[in-house]
Amino acid sequence: MKRITDNIKDQQTRKYFNNVVNETPQTEQISTEQFLDGIGKISENMREVAAMAREELAARHKMGNITEAISLSYIAKTYFGKSRAWLMQKVNGNTVNGKRASFTPSESKRMREALQDLSEKLSKAALAF
């Protein structure tokens, strides 16, 4: 996962803030300007990390307990031409090849359409009883 100090370009400032984050005794002295720049960069990264966390949680929460009621293998194969493992990586936000797996906008649309299609099929089956 990305560290909140990763986008601090100045090495001395980055080292200073890494020491702060790691609660290591300070060996670096930085100027007020460097300090304020570092705080700004950390704030930017914290917002980015928070957005990624919200996105990751959103995919899992969107699915809720539906994953126990329907076949994700069927959805993966029928609507995506992929494996269940591929779909679960997307749903769970797993790290794959050093990058967090998530749905692209077109995949999100396809997933929504797949769930709507299944909903219609379930409704028709229920009416048949």
Side-chain angles (χ1 to χ4, degrees):
M1 175 162 237
K2 189 174 184 175
R3 292 180 51 91
I4 63 170
T5 56
D6 282 353
N7 66 346
I8 298 174
K9 302 292 183 230
D10 179 69
Q11 292 300 319
Q12 183 182 15
T13 305
R14 182 184 295 169
K15 186 175 179 182
Y16 176 89
F17 281 102
N18 280 332
N19 287 342
V20 170
V21 169
N22 296 326
E23 298 180 9
T24 305
Q26 226 23 286
T27 58
E28 297 295 318
Q29 296 297 317
I30 60 173
S31 68
T32 302
E33 183 179 298
Q34 288 172 304
F35 181 82
L36 293 174
D37 182 57
I39 292 293
K41 297 293 185 190
I42 287 173
S43 294
E44 288 173 24
N45 249 4
M46 288 177 72
R47 281 190 290 278
E48 187 178 317
V49 167
M52 287 171 33
R54 278 192 301 276
E55 182 182 320
E56 180 179 332
L57 289 173
R60 275 190 230 156
H61 289 309
K62 284 177 189 175
M63 293 298 289
N65 62 358
I66 192 80
T67 58
E68 297 171 19
I70 61 174
S71 170
L72 293 179
S73 180
Y74 175 83
I75 292 173
K77 288 177 183 156
T78 304
Y79 298 98
F80 292 96
K82 303 282 185 175
S83 69
R84 181 183 189 282
W86 175 87
L87 182 58
M88 291 309 297
Q89 288 172 346
K90 299 280 187 168
V91 169
N92 291 325
N94 296 349
T95 301
V96 180
N97 297 325
K99 186 178 174 188
R100 196 175 67 74
S102 62
F103 289 102
T104 64
S106 64
E107 290 168 343
S108 288
K109 182 181 179 205
R110 186 175 291 177
M111 185 65 163
R112 184 172 40 259
E113 291 168 350
L115 292 171
Q116 289 170 337
D117 185 50
L118 288 172
S119 171
E120 290 172 17
K121 288 177 181 179
L122 288 169
S123 292
K124 287 178 184 176
L127 292 173
F129 276 89

